[in-house]
């Protein structure tokens, strides 16, 4: 267990741009689209990265960075499938996966193809 959790200590937020600790309550928050972000259990938060900044200038820079990051639907769909595999380590049928993820068969196929290409790319480059 983390010491701060067991002691009740509240840790400062960190600016996502510069890493500065913010403990005076002046931090700024926003959400940015990010296809790699999959919430542990709630699909409504998928694809939304919470940003924390120490100043309006840093928030603007962070948001600008995420504007230029491509949102890859197949990446998001693969993440949704991964969440279901985590919740069902025994596996799921295609029918059950479609029902659990609200994805179509075509989306599942595209997610698998995208994921396989990522694995191949990683193997080629390592």
């Amino acid at each position: 267990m983390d010491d701060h959790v067991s002691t009740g200590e509240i840790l400062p937020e960190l600016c996502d741009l510069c890493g500065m600790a913010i403990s005076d309550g002046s931090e700024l928050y926003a959400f940015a689209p990010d296809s790699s972000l999959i919430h542990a259990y709630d699909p409504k938060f998928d694809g939304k990265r919470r940003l924390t900044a120490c100043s309006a200038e840093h928030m603007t820079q962070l948001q600008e960075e995420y504007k230029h990051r491509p949102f890859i639907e197949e990446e998001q769909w693969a993440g949704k499938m991964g969440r279901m595999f985590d919740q069902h380590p025994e596996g799921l049928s295609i029918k059950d996966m479609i029902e659990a993820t609200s994805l179509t068969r075509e989306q599942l196929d595209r997610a698998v193809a995208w994921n396989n290409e990522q694995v191949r790319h990683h193997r080629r480059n390592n």
Side-chain angles (χ1 to χ4, degrees):
M1 182 180 271
D2 294 342
D3 285 340
H4 70 280
V5 173
S6 62
T7 64
E9 176 188 3
I10 297 175
L11 296 176
E13 289 281 3
L14 300 177
C15 178
D16 291 332
L17 188 67
C18 71
M20 182 177 92
I22 314 161
S23 56
D24 64 359
S26 65
E27 65 271 11
L28 301 172
Y29 299 105
F31 284 101
D34 183 349
S35 56
S36 71
L37 193 112
I38 301 297
H39 193 270
Y41 56 86
D42 194 339
K44 74 180 176 196
F45 294 112
D46 291 348
K48 298 173 186 171
R49 180 165 302 279
R50 188 186 83 156
L51 304 175
T52 305
C54 64
S55 67
E57 294 83 17
H58 281 194
M59 182 59 74
T60 299
Q61 287 179 334
L62 286 164
Q63 289 173 319
E64 191 63 28
E65 284 180 25
Y66 276 92
K67 276 184 193 173
H68 298 289
R69 185 187 189 282
F71 191 95
I72 303 166
E73 290 181 324
E74 291 82 359
E75 178 179 36
Q76 177 115 95
W77 300 335
K80 289 177 180 286
M81 291 176 70
R83 178 177 48 228
M84 288 301 106
F85 288 134
D86 287 346
Q87 293 174 8
H88 302 277
E90 73 284 359
L92 290 169
S93 69
I94 293 293
K95 179 179 175 237
D96 290 339
M97 182 63 80
I98 289 169
E99 185 176 323
T101 61
S102 298
L103 297 173
T104 66
R105 175 62 192 251
E106 179 186 353
Q107 289 169 326
L108 293 177
D109 290 345
R110 287 173 53 190
V112 169
W114 179 87
N115 190 68
N116 289 345
E117 181 53 35
Q118 299 310 301
V119 170
R120 284 187 208 93
H121 178 77
H122 180 75
R123 286 183 181 156
R124 282 191 301 262
N125 294 316
N126 286 325

